[in-house]
Amino acid sequence: MTASDPRPVGEDDLHAFVDGRLDPGRRARVEAWLAAHPEAAARVAADREVRERLRARLAPVADEPIPARLRIANLAGSRRMRLPRRWPSA
């Protein structure tokens, strides 16, 4: 543990590490921890490989434009039209 970040490395850190979502200081801490824990490092390496394979497999879908029926503006507009009128005009 370092004085700047005394928290132990946990599962949330490992998942964030796999996803590339750690700040540089925490990433260095996790990398050091993984160097001392080869079983966890092997699991993280396998998780990274699965992540990359999934990203490659789903890349064509991720690059497609969002269908109009799923855009926020269209969803909000259709929801407003379906809401019942609760207070009739006086």
Side-chain angles (χ1 to χ4, degrees):
M1 289 183 210
T2 63
S4 63
D5 192 356
R7 297 175 295 143
V9 173
E11 284 296 315
D12 55 338
D13 293 310
L14 298 179
H15 290 288
F17 182 77
V18 167
D19 291 337
R21 296 192 177 269
L22 289 177
D23 64 71
R26 190 64 179 168
R27 186 181 72 236
R29 170 84 170 100
V30 171
E31 287 171 344
W33 186 87
L34 287 171
H37 296 86
E39 302 85 17
R43 193 177 81 226
V44 165
D47 288 349
R48 282 183 131 176
E49 182 180 339
V50 168
R51 178 183 185 271
E52 292 307 312
R53 288 175 41 203
L54 279 170
R55 290 180 69 81
R57 177 83 170 148
L58 297 173
V61 175
D63 291 338
E64 292 177 0
I66 297 172
R69 64 184 173 78
L70 297 178
R71 292 193 186 125
I72 296 295
N74 294 340
L75 291 173
S78 67
R79 183 172 184 254
R80 269 185 251 130
M81 291 172 51
R82 288 187 314 222
L83 289 176
R85 293 187 67 175
R86 296 187 180 175
W87 299 102
S89 312

